[in-house]
Each structure stands twice: as C-alpha cells, then as structure tokens.
C-alpha cells in the first residue's frame, strides 16, 4: 500500500451534487492515488463540516484507487454516520471487499 | 539466512569529477579561433596590398616610359626648326661663294632678342685656323677657341646633318649648332649659338603636358651633371623612379631623364595599397573581435553544459544515496528470518519500489511460539515515507508483545486494533496473522483487511479461505474472525502484500491469478521460488513496495 510513484500524476475528476433529499453525492472519476487524494480530501472536509447524515461516493468511473484513496473514504466514514459507495467499478469493489471494508463502506449497486 | 533485499533501481554512478586541466585548456582553446582569424586576415591583407602595390608600380613604370618617349618626340621635333634655316643659309653661302651680304640678309630675321638664335656666323671650312667671315648677333664663343672650332667644323663635322656642341663649363653656358652642305670639301659651315638658362633651370609651365614630370636633358649619351643642358630640378641626378630616353638630334643626341612628381596613374591607385592595408586590418580586427565573442559564448555554453552535467550527476548520486539509505533503513526495521524454524523451512523477500527514495510500510515477522507452533505476521501500513516506516515498526513490535500474552491471531489483531484506536491516528494497516501448527499441518488465520496467503500443494495452488475484517485503525472495537485450514504435507505457503499483485488499471483478481499461476509452475525450494516471484512480478516500473514470506514443511 505504500505508494512511491511520485512522478506519476493521476487524473481525477471530482463533482459534488446533492440529491433531492439533500444527501451529498461526490462523483469521483479517473484514478485516485497518493498524488491527488488530497484534492478529494479537501472536498470531503468541506462536506462533512456541514454534518450531513449520510454521504454517497459515486465511483462508477473510478478505475484505480490506492490506499491513500481508501484512507479518504475511511476518514469520511469516521465523521459521517453512513458512507455509501454507489455503483463502484469492479476494480474498486474488489479492493473494498478484499480489505474487509464492505462493512464500513457499504456498497450499493 | 537473512532476508534478501532485491533492488531493481539504477546502479550507483561514478561521481562527476571536475577536471582541473579543463579550465586551462578551455581558456587556451578560446584564443585559438581569434588567433587564426588574426593571422589569416593579416596574411590576406598583406597579399592584397602587395598585389595592389605591384600593379601600381608596374602601371607607373609603363606610364613613365610612355611619357619619356613623348617628351623625346617633342625634343626631337625641334630639330628641323633649327636645322632648316641653317641648311638654307649654308646652301646659299655655297651658291654665292660665301657672300656675307647674302648671308646676313637671309639670316637677319632669325637672329636677335626674342628670335630663334642669339648668334649666327658663317665659317669657311677650308681655313686652317678658321674665323667666321660673317657674324650676326653676339660673338660666338666658338670663335674664342680656334682649335675646337677647327675640329668641330672640320673633320668632326658630319656634312648634311646638324651637329651639336655645348659650352657647358663656360661662364655663359651655351649650345651650338652647325651645318655644312655635303659634297664640298671647301665649303661653308653655318653656325648658330644660343645661351642656356642660368643655372640650367627651366621649369615647365604649370599647364604644360609634362608639368607632372621632373626632367633633365643631357648633351650626348652622358648622364653626368656637367653635361646637363637644362633641368627642372635644383639638384641632380634625379632620384626615385625614373625613365631615360636617348633622342637623336642631328648628328648628335640628347639624353632625356624624367621622374614623376607625383603619381602618374592618379592618387587613388597610389593610395590603393594603403587603403587595402588599412581596411584589411580593420576588417581583420573586427573578425577577431567577433570570433573572440563567438568563442567566448561557445565556451560559456560549454561551461554551462558542464555545470548542468555535474548537477545532473550529483542529483543521480544523491538519489542513489537516498535510495540506498531508505533501503538500509527498511532492512534495519525488518527481522532476520531464520532458515529453519520448528521443522519449517522459511524465507522472506522485501522488494522496494523501482523508483523513489521513500521507505515503505510493509513488514513481516516469523516467531516460534513454542516447539511446535510458529506465528506468521505480515502487514502493510497505508502511506509511505519515514512516518509509514516508523508506524510499521511500532505495529510490528506491539504485535510481538501481544503474541507473548496470547498467540491467538484474532486476539492479537483485536489488541492491535484497540492499541491503534486508543489515540488519534491518520493511518490504517492491513495485517494477516497466521498461527502455524507444524505437526498438524494447520494454519489458524485472522485478517485485518489483508490479502489471503497462497497455499501451493504439488501441482495445485489456492488462496486460503479467510474472511477479511476491517483493517487495523479503521473502526474502534473491531473484532476479528479466525479460520483454520489444513494444508497437505510438503505444502508451501506464501503470504504477501498487495504490492506484489496490484497493477494500475486492472482488477486485483487478475494480479492474484498471475501470482498463483506463476507459483504453480515453479516446483522449487522456497528460496528460489521467492526469488523467481520477486523477479517476475515486479517490473521495471512497479510503483509499490512488496513483501513476501514463504514457509515449507520439511520431512
């Protein structure tokens, strides 16, 4: 999990919306790793500051996520009652399953 | 045997050495092109200037030769105007038997101030010590030297052509012309005498065609100063470039010597060699300055390139050094694995990422709990760098401490979780604990989000079934499930971290399958198996550290 690839800068797109019920939905697309996880961390920090009940990450177009990315999701789960991962790509889904995090970050298809 | 550290990073490069001599050679080298430009420019300039000078000199000589010939013709053309009246008077004297009256009346218009002759006289040739029978104008000097008169008008006189003589050393220098009719042995000679200018000086008029020449006219073929008839100069002989021509004049001759006052071909051609020389030197100097500037710039560029090379080499050296330090630290933090433990053959590998200088957070441990049991721990702390490494060391030693209290994997992980969650932290760690019962060929495992180990059995291989719970540090109060699996005799178990199988852009199962099929193909002692896996699964650009621990039952 120790990402050492400093030269590589992954491309990630982050988009925040709110559903009709006022639940924040953060769409993360591209690749999320140690080089850009701080960007998502800043977005998440501004959202959890408003103390929402739930937080949804939409990860259908996220094709790579390393431990730094997982750490951001776990950090959000620590501050919000429920964090859901919506429609994660197989790559992300398997990482969540194999690291025993499905209980912490509930996956909804 | 100690854990082997694979390093696929770049080999250390020799440090750049600064050559002291290069500075000296460089400053000498800088002067070479300007020196060449200077020498070449000056040589070319000299060649051009000398050529121009040679052409100029040749032209001047040619022009001067032409001019002296022109002057000769002018001098020569005066002969008939002198000879004709004398010849006519001589013929008249012959015809009239030397009549003084006829002679005087014929010659009177030619003699006197402002006329052609100053003195004219008629001489009978037969008289031994002759005297003139008739004289017009002043008395001739010839009459005062009877012997010379006899010789000049007698035997030495060529009849039918004008003869010339000069009284050049006399107080009143003059020139004399004599003519006698041919065919008569007893005839008459007509003699005319004219004074020469005082000091022989006669400058040509400014608008004359020959005013650009210095000249000297000599009597006969002589060039002695005593024989000069007339000249434009105070001092003789003429010096410098000059041309000479002998002018036939009656029976005698004059010698004409001329020298140019200035440049005959024009001042431009005279100055041309100097113009070429000065311009050439200026152009050469400009070329030298320009070459020097270019050479200096090039030298600066080379120096800069050298500096950049050294900086790059220094960076490479520092990178290599940092990387070496990181790997030494990692090595220091990881345990030495004994080759045999309670009847197990064991080994481990740590493969750092191909690039970067950070230390990773991967670790492993193998400890003998008692005579027949061995506890395997492998883990991976999120993040990287010194912080991950120190966290790893903390977790590793905490784990060893908990193992001494209770070696149950689930209990060890729960205690570790409680320990981490007891304070603020910003990391998580995946950990696999496996208690190996050597005699019963059993593994009791608990996983905190860690990948399950691979169990190789003869030709087959499968990942052990163990349900992962959340990683350490994620949820306070986490509890862990244990699973016990039996393995066949001679089985090989390989536990590993995700760096061995994870690749960007592929589902992790693909990497797991790659590991499984590679491991199944090799029926090797675990030392060699781990070496092969490390080599085949970590490529040139693998970006994450990877750790492996292998155990093999011995018979």
């Amino acid at each position: 999990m120790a990402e050492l690839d400093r030269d590589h800068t992954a491309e990630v797109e982050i988009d925040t919306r709110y559903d009709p019920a006022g639940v924040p939905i953060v769409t993360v697309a591209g690749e999320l790793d140690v080089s850009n996880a701080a960007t998502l961390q800043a977005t998440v920090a501004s959202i959890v500051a408003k103390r929402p009940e739930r937080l949804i990450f939409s990860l259908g177009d996220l094709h790579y996520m390393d431990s730094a990315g997982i750490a951001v999701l776990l950090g959000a789960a620590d501050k919000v009652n429920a964090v859901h991962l919506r429609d994660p790509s197989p790559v992300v889904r398997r990482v969540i399953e194999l690291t025993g995090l499905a209980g912490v970050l509930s996956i909804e298809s | 045997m100690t854990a082997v550290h694979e390093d696929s990073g770049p080999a250390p490069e020799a440090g750049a050495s600064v050559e002291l001599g290069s500075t000296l050679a460089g400053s000498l080298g800088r002067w070479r092109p300007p020196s060449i430009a200077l020498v070449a420019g000056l040589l070319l300039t000299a060649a051009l200037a000398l050529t121009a000078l040679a052409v100029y000199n040749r032209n001047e000589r040619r022009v001067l030769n032409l001019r002296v010939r022109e002057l000769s013709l002018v001098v020569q053309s005066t002969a008939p105007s002198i000879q004709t009246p004398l010849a006519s008077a001589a013929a008249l004297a012959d015809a009239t038997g030397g009549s003084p009256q006829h002679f005087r009346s014929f010659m009177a218009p030619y003699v006197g101030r402002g006329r052609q002759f100053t003195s004219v006289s008629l001489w009978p040739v037969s008289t031994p010590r002759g005297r003139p029978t008739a004289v017009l104008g002043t008395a001739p000097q010839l009459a005062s030297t009877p012997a010379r008169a006899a010789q000049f008008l007698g035997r030495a006189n060529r009849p039918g052509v004008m003869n010339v003589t000069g009284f050049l050393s006399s107080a009143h220098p003059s020139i004399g012309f004599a003519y006698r009719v041919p065919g008569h042995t007893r005839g008459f000679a007509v003699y005319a005498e004219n004074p020469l200018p005082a000091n022989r000086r006669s400058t040509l008029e400014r608008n004359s065609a020959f005013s650009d020449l210095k000249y000297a006219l000599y009597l006969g073929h002589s060039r002695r100063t005593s024989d000069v008839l007339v000249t434009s100069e105070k001092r003789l002989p003429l010096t410098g470039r000059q041309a000479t021509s002998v002018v036939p004049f009656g029976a005698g001759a004059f010698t004409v010597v001329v020298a140019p006052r200035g440049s005959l071909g024009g001042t431009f051609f005279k100055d041309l060699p100097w113009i070429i020389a000065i311009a050439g030197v200026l152009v050469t100097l400009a070329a030298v300055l320009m070459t020097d500037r270019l050479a200096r710039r090039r030298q600066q560029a080379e120096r800069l390139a050298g500096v950049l090379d050294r900086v790059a080499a220094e960076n490479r050296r520092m990178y290599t050094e940092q990387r070496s330090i990181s790997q030494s630290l990692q090595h220091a933090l990881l345990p030495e694995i004994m080759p045999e433990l309670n009847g197990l053959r064991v080994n481990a590998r740590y493969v750092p990422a191909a690039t970067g200088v950070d230390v990773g957070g991967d670790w492993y441990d193998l400890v003998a709990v008692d005579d027949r049991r061995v506890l395997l721990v492998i883990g991976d702390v999120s993040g990287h760098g010194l912080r991950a490494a120190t966290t790893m060391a903390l977790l590793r030693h905490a784990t060893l401490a908990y193992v001494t209290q209770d070696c149950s994997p689930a209990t060890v992980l729960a205690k570790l979780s409680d320990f981490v969650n007891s304070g603020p932290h910003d990391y998580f760690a995946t950990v696999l604990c496996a208690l190996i019962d050597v005699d019963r060929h059993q593994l009791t495992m608990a996983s905190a989000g860690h990948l399950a180990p691979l169990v190789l059995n003869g030709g087959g291989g499968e990942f052990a079934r163990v349900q992962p719970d959340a990683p350490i540090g994620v949820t306070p109060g986490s509890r862990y499930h244990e699973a016990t699996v039996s393995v066949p005799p001679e089985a090989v178990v390989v536990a590993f971290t995700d760096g061995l199988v994870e690749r960007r852009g592929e589902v992790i199962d693909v990497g797991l399958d790659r590991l499984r099929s590679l491991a199944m193909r090799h029926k090797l002692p675990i030392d060699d198996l781990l070496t092969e896996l490390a080599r085949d699964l970590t490529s040139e650009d693998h970006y994450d550290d990877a750790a492996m621990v292998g155990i093999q039952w011995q018979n």
Side-chain angles (χ1 to χ4, degrees), chain B residues 82-94:
Chain B
I82 298 170
Q83 182 175 318
T84 303
L86 299 186
S88 303
L92 181 67
D94 268 357

Side-chain angles (χ1 to χ4, degrees), chain A residues 11-95:
Chain A
E11 297 282 332
V12 70
E13 287 178 32
I14 299 165
D15 179 50
T16 307
R17 296 182 186 196
Y18 291 85
D19 73 0
V23 176
I25 303 174
V26 180
T27 304
V28 187
E31 296 185 346
L32 183 63
D33 68 9
V34 67
S35 71
N36 57 27
T39 313
L40 181 61
Q41 177 60 53
T43 305
V44 168
S46 68
I47 292 170
V48 300
K50 297 170 190 163
R51 304 198 170 280
E53 281 294 305
R54 298 200 302 151
L55 174 55
I56 296 171
F57 287 99
S58 178
L59 306 177
D61 286 320
L62 186 61
H63 304 299
Y64 178 75
M65 180 171 67
D66 73 351
S67 64
I70 294 173
V72 175
L73 303 188
L74 291 175
D78 203 27
K79 304 234 168 42
V80 178
N81 283 345
V83 167
H84 302 274
L85 307 186
R86 176 169 291 172
D87 192 25
S89 64
V91 171
V92 175
R93 178 188 293 267
R94 285 298 285 156
V95 167

